[in-house]
Amino acid sequence: KTSKIAKKRRKKLIVRLISYSLLVVVFIFGLSFLSRAQFLNIKEIKVIGNNAIKTEEIIKIAEEKISGKVAGLFSRSNVLLYPRYEIERQILKQFKRILDAEVSIEKFSILNIEIAERQIFGLWCEALLNQISNEKCFYLDKTGFLFDEAPNFSGNSYVRYYTATSSDAVSDYFVETDEFDRLNNFLTQLSKTFNVQVLKVVNNP
């Protein structure tokens, strides 16, 4: 009797395990099917706030990130599963000119990408001061961060910052942000006090 009861219990346990497994499989595949439903998928991508960076280049990043499936089952273009932070990180990684990128969903179908671009504060030029005609310059923002290479233009539209010693390695910053802030406050006061225009600044570390 004990043996028969044990066998019955094992059979019931096996049946339950199979039933639960089937329910889990059905549930997962049901979610997979639901993730591809049109009313839950991204149909449009909008980019807001960009000026220097082309809209098509930003959209291309988003399209690549929302293509394919998660774990081979769930659509990455689903408004509940789309890789928001991956898109933001890739945009910031690919475009140094972009200061911030925020991704959100609108009306359960539109992927909004809001961009804040760095504002040009000055130029950092890698050539020595006696080689002005051959200098290669990069834009920098008010924190001293270097981003896009600047075209070769003349004039005094921006202050040009130099490092006294030449170097093949270009850091992301001209100097530390706090130091850059103090330097420019000093230059502003200098300009006001003596009524002069600062054109070039040389950092001699």
Side-chain angles (χ1 to χ4, degrees):
K1 287 183 180 181
T2 304
S3 178
K4 288 181 179 180
I5 293 173
K7 285 181 180 179
K8 286 183 179 180
R9 286 178 177 174
R10 280 197 296 271
K11 285 182 180 179
K12 286 183 179 180
L13 180 60
I14 292 170
V15 170
R16 284 178 182 175
L17 288 174
I18 293 173
S19 299
Y20 291 149
S21 298
L22 288 173
L23 285 173
V24 170
V25 170
V26 170
F27 180 72
I28 290 173
F29 276 96
L31 289 179
S32 175
F33 177 79
L34 186 61
S35 76
R36 297 192 295 273
Q38 286 298 309
F39 71 93
L40 284 176
N41 271 253
I42 295 167
K43 299 179 182 66
E44 183 182 353
I45 300 174
K46 288 183 179 179
V47 181
I48 308 164
N50 60 310
N51 184 27
I53 307 297
K54 293 181 179 179
T55 298
E56 299 78 32
E57 294 179 348
I58 299 172
I59 288 177
K60 183 179 178 182
I61 291 174
E63 287 176 338
E64 289 175 353
K65 291 297 181 181
I66 65 174
S67 64
K69 295 183 175 65
V70 179
L73 293 171
F74 309 105
S75 173
R76 291 174 69 88
S77 64
N78 184 279
V79 295
L80 303 176
L81 300 174
Y82 76 101
R84 171 188 172 182
Y85 298 111
E86 283 186 32
I87 296 170
E88 292 174 347
R89 283 194 297 268
Q90 187 59 38
I91 290 172
L92 294 176
K93 180 181 177 181
Q94 189 161 325
F95 302 106
K96 281 191 171 185
R97 192 180 190 114
I98 295 179
L99 176 65
D100 189 33
E102 186 173 344
V103 177
S104 60
I105 292 292
E106 177 187 344
K107 298 179 181 178
F108 270 79
S109 62
I110 302 171
L111 182 72
N112 277 332
I113 305 175
E114 191 167 352
I115 298 297
E117 294 182 349
R118 297 180 186 276
Q119 299 302 306
I120 302 171
F121 182 82
L123 299 174
W124 176 85
C125 301
E126 63 181 7
L128 297 178
L129 287 174
N130 60 356
Q131 298 174 325
I132 297 301
S133 60
N134 298 320
E135 67 184 356
K136 182 178 179 181
C137 299
F138 294 84
Y139 293 122
L140 52 75
D141 66 8
K142 64 181 181 180
T143 69
F145 183 85
L146 279 61
F147 50 102
D148 296 348
E149 184 175 343
N152 188 11
F153 56 84
S154 58
N156 302 317
S157 301
Y158 303 106
V159 177
R160 295 177 185 245
Y161 296 82
Y162 297 85
T163 302
T165 56
S166 60
S167 173
D168 293 333
V170 179
S171 171
D172 283 340
Y173 287 88
F174 171 62
V175 291
E176 293 293 332
T177 299
D178 291 343
E179 185 179 345
F180 190 66
D181 190 49
R182 288 193 297 270
L183 170 63
N184 287 298
N185 285 336
F186 169 74
L187 295 176
T188 300
Q189 291 301 318
L190 185 69
S191 298
K192 289 180 179 179
T193 303
F194 296 100
N195 193 27
V196 295
Q197 181 183 5
V198 178
L199 301 178
K200 299 181 180 69
V201 179
V202 181
N203 178 41
N204 191 358

